Amino acid sequence: MDNRAVQARLLHREAQEHEDRARQSREQRDRLVRSLRSENPQYWTYPRLAKAVQCSPELVAVIVRGG
């Protein structure tokens, strides 16, 4: 088999593994954000969660609303 095809296959596999890991990380992040917010919404406001996670308040809103 051509070495370029082998390299392409390996790179494809590596990219898929990274995508899977990124999806898992997002799912874990979302669970944690929802947990914090549900336990104490007065303290864990969208801006405070955003600052803690280092993302935007808009992303926090999407996570909390289940989007």
Side-chain angles (χ1 to χ4, degrees), residues 15-49:
Q16 184 62 49
E17 290 169 2
H18 287 293
E19 289 173 15
D20 291 344
R21 180 67 186 131
R23 179 187 47 76
Q24 291 170 356
S25 294
R26 285 188 299 273
E27 288 171 357
Q28 289 176 330
R29 174 205 61 199
D30 294 357
R31 278 194 300 274
L32 292 168
V33 167
R34 287 187 195 111
S35 174
L36 289 166
R37 175 75 178 172
S38 69
E39 287 176 15
N40 191 345
Q42 266 59 26
Y43 181 81
W44 288 111
T45 61
Y46 288 6
R48 185 169 277 155
L49 278 165

